[in-house]
Amino acid sequence: MIPVLSNVLTGKTNEHVIIDSRIGVPLHTRAVFPFLSLQKEAQKSGFDLRVASAFRAYDRQLVIWNEKAQGKRDILNYSGGSTLDYNQLNREEVLWAMLRWSSVPGASRHHWGTEVDIYDYNALNSPSSEALKLIPAEVEGEGSMAALHRWLDKLIDAKKAFGFFRPYEMDRGGVALEKWHLSYTPQSFLYDESYTYDFFVEQIEQSDIELKDVILQHSEKIFQTYMKNICPYPN
Ligand SMILES: [Zn+2]
């Protein structure tokens, strides 16, 4: 694989992203205008669509992963409703629990710059960063972000979401349901196609990552269940 592409796929470069002042976080150069269009569309319906997180660099993901693996950060349970007792888990259990909510460094779609975790600023209970939780309860039923997502459902169904779709719209037994996670398909589809199993294994072997031996032992299952097991791309 050409080095430029492998660095983009693993978040080891930021040359594919830019920070537009209207968005405020680094996003793929090709996703900026489509996102601004989505933002304008949202505004017409009274939503102040903002991005909580978009591009994430490899180094950042590595720190998060390693701290969780060492028990220095909370690990959520399967439903996301509570945290697990790290001391009760063996290394394999730690790995599977982490994979539900975190990507292996170098294998996160957020490295690509094409992914955004979104929210409605108007619906925050208070303007502090703690007000946003990005948990399932927030986006369903009476949740504060439910109205935004009902609006988005319709837009995506009508194929009018400017190329964005939800790869984690449903719980497929791998990564948890994350309705707030949108992907700019015209670009992410290409990255996804380029990301092969051999490449996954190769980059884990080269990395300085906690639980490396257990990851390599289960590399095929991790690749199929947590990386490739997303909702089908819209056609
Ligand atoms: Zn996300």
Side-chain angles (χ1 to χ4, degrees), residues 14-34:
N14 59 6
E15 63 195 275
H16 54 306
V17 296
I18 51 163
I19 301 179
D20 183 284
S21 60
R22 292 160 289 184
I23 300 173
V25 293
L27 195 63
H28 196 285
T29 49
R30 290 190 185 155
V32 168
F33 283 112

Side-chain angles (χ1 to χ4, degrees), residues 110 117 178 180-181:
H110 276 283
D117 294 334
E178 290 186 4
W180 53 84
H181 180 119

Side-chain angles (χ1 to χ4, degrees), residues 53-54 56 108-110 115-118 134 167-168 178 180-182:
S53 168
R56 208 171 301 142
S108 168
R109 295 177 65 96
H110 276 283
E115 315 295 294
V116 286
D117 294 334
I118 50 115
L134 296 180
Y168 310 120
E178 290 186 4
W180 53 84
H181 180 119
L182 303 185

Side-chain angles (χ1 to χ4, degrees), residues 98-181:
M98 281 172 63
L99 284 169
R100 178 90 172 140
W101 300 96
S102 309
S103 296
V104 174
S108 168
R109 295 177 65 96
H110 276 283
H111 294 324
W112 305 348
T114 52
E115 315 295 294
V116 286
D117 294 334
I118 50 115
Y119 67 99
D120 174 17
Y121 185 78
N122 290 339
L124 287 181
N125 298 322
S126 71
S128 75
S129 57
E130 297 96 78
L132 185 71
K133 295 193 175 68
L134 296 180
I135 54 169
E138 197 175 42
V139 297
E140 291 163 347
E142 299 297 303
S144 57
M145 299 297 153
L148 170 71
H149 285 281
R150 280 194 295 271
W151 170 80
L152 251 178
D153 286 341
K154 284 189 203 146
L155 210 68
I156 292 172
D157 283 352
K159 300 191 191 300
K160 288 181 178 169
F162 306 96
F164 288 93
F165 96 117
R166 295 192 186 96
Y168 310 120
E169 163 130 50
M170 285 182 315
D171 185 352
R172 298 166 65 87
V175 173
L177 177 146
E178 290 186 4
K179 273 195 119 172
W180 53 84
H181 180 119

Side-chain angles (χ1 to χ4, degrees), residues 35-229:
F35 187 80
L36 290 172
S37 303
L38 187 65
Q39 221 174 26
K40 259 186 220 153
E41 198 62 31
Q43 214 167 35
K44 289 185 204 162
S45 297
F47 302 110
D48 184 353
L49 184 68
R50 300 210 190 175
V51 180
S53 168
F55 168 72
R56 208 171 301 142
Y58 177 84
D59 289 343
R60 179 77 193 126
Q61 189 74 12
L62 186 68
V63 168
I64 295 171
W65 177 272
N66 285 351
E67 287 184 356
K68 282 190 180 179
Q70 292 162 351
K72 293 177 188 164
R73 262 175 193 262
D74 284 344
I75 300 175
L76 289 175
N77 72 347
Y78 196 78
S79 68
S82 62
T83 57
L84 294 166
D85 182 357
Y86 178 81
N87 296 313
Q88 299 295 315
L89 307 173
N90 64 36
R91 296 176 79 248
E92 287 211 8
E93 288 166 336
V94 167
L95 173 70
W96 299 123
M98 281 172 63
L99 284 169
R100 178 90 172 140
W101 300 96
S102 309
S103 296
V104 174
S108 168
R109 295 177 65 96
H110 276 283
H111 294 324
W112 305 348
T114 52
E115 315 295 294
V116 286
D117 294 334
I118 50 115
Y119 67 99
D120 174 17
Y121 185 78
N122 290 339
L124 287 181
N125 298 322
S126 71
S128 75
S129 57
E130 297 96 78
L132 185 71
K133 295 193 175 68
L134 296 180
I135 54 169
E138 197 175 42
V139 297
E140 291 163 347
E142 299 297 303
S144 57
M145 299 297 153
L148 170 71
H149 285 281
R150 280 194 295 271
W151 170 80
L152 251 178
D153 286 341
K154 284 189 203 146
L155 210 68
I156 292 172
D157 283 352
K159 300 191 191 300
K160 288 181 178 169
F162 306 96
F164 288 93
F165 96 117
R166 295 192 186 96
Y168 310 120
E169 163 130 50
M170 285 182 315
D171 185 352
R172 298 166 65 87
V175 173
L177 177 146
E178 290 186 4
K179 273 195 119 172
W180 53 84
H181 180 119
L182 303 185
S183 178
Y184 180 61
T185 322
Q187 189 63 40
S188 63
F189 174 78
L190 300 173
Y191 290 152
D192 205 352
E193 291 262 283
S194 308
Y195 210 117
T196 62
Y197 175 66
D198 289 346
F199 177 71
F200 174 65
V201 172
E202 189 184 306
Q203 74 93 13
I204 296 297
E205 280 168 347
Q206 292 165 358
S207 72
D208 191 13
I209 180 177
E210 288 283 336
L211 302 170
K212 186 170 170 171
D213 55 331
V214 204
I215 295 170
L216 287 172
Q217 206 181 319
H218 299 285
S219 54
E220 186 141 10
K221 180 175 174 189
I222 295 169
F223 183 74
Q224 293 304 344
T225 313
Y226 294 90
M227 283 194 72
K228 296 296 178 178
N229 185 24

